[in-house]
Amino acid sequence: MVRTLDARTSQGSNGLYSLTPSFTNGVPILFAQVALQVNNPGPFVRTLFAGIVELTANVLPVNGDLVIEVYRGLGASQQLVYRAGTIVVADQFFSPCVFSFTGSEYNVPTAGSSQIIYSVYATFSYNPLYNVSGLRLGPESFNATLYSDD
């Protein structure tokens, strides 16, 4: 039987206002972080997660790349568990760019841990010849649910 251990949401923006700081070319921005509580887990623990990032591309002279990375942990102890990306088309017709993602991690290690932390970064890269600002629109959110088998 499957049991839900915890579920959390990190919402940086609901999409009503532009976000600051904006993206710096090729520099990851931490946009979400959740700490899931682990109480009496069964033998197999897994996490299902989903998120969304929205940015504008109408000021871009060339296409860019948006990459989302989900890590388990904080700081130098982080373990990459998910990575996805998309091309952001530099055209008002395709702006804003809404990128949603869904992923999972199976056999999550829980030994000696009372919580499992997930940190989510977004990196936007574009031609370095251009200086672009005001790209982050929102919404930016991340949802994670921790399950265990009994």
Side-chain angles (χ1 to χ4, degrees):
M1 187 161 113
V2 176
R3 180 170 45 106
T4 302
L5 298 176
D6 198 6
R8 303 286 172 157
T9 297
S10 175
Q11 185 171 34
S13 167
N14 59 8
L16 295 178
Y17 307 102
S18 293
L19 297 165
T20 55
S22 188
F23 287 105
T24 300
N25 192 7
V27 177
I29 290 177
L30 175 69
F31 81 87
Q33 199 165 58
V34 295
L36 300 166
Q37 303 304 309
V38 180
N39 294 317
N40 290 329
F44 300 105
V45 176
R46 58 198 170 279
T47 306
L48 300 178
F49 51 81
I52 188 169
V53 175
E54 184 175 345
L55 60 94
T56 182
N58 60 2
V59 296
L60 284 176
V62 295
N63 292 351
D65 294 304
L66 176 64
V67 174
I68 302 298
E69 293 178 320
V70 178
Y71 292 86
R72 181 180 7 90
L74 290 170
S77 67
Q78 294 183 348
Q79 172 67 48
L80 180 66
V81 296
Y82 181 84
R83 186 174 200 265
T86 190
I87 294 173
V88 178
V89 178
D91 187 324
Q92 287 183 336
F93 181 75
F94 295 104
S95 186
C97 173
V98 179
F99 185 55
S100 59
F101 59 95
T102 303
S104 59
E105 182 182 24
Y106 288 90
N107 296 325
V108 179
T110 60
S113 176
S114 62
Q115 65 182 6
I116 296 173
I117 298 171
Y118 287 95
S119 303
V120 188
Y121 295 85
T123 306
F124 186 58
S125 302
Y126 48 89
N127 188 323
L129 295 175
Y130 303 101
N131 186 14
V132 181
S133 63
L135 296 170
R136 290 175 71 195
L137 292 178
E140 287 182 356
S141 64
F142 178 73
N143 303 295
T145 306
L146 190 66
Y147 298 96
S148 173
D149 293 334
D150 282 338

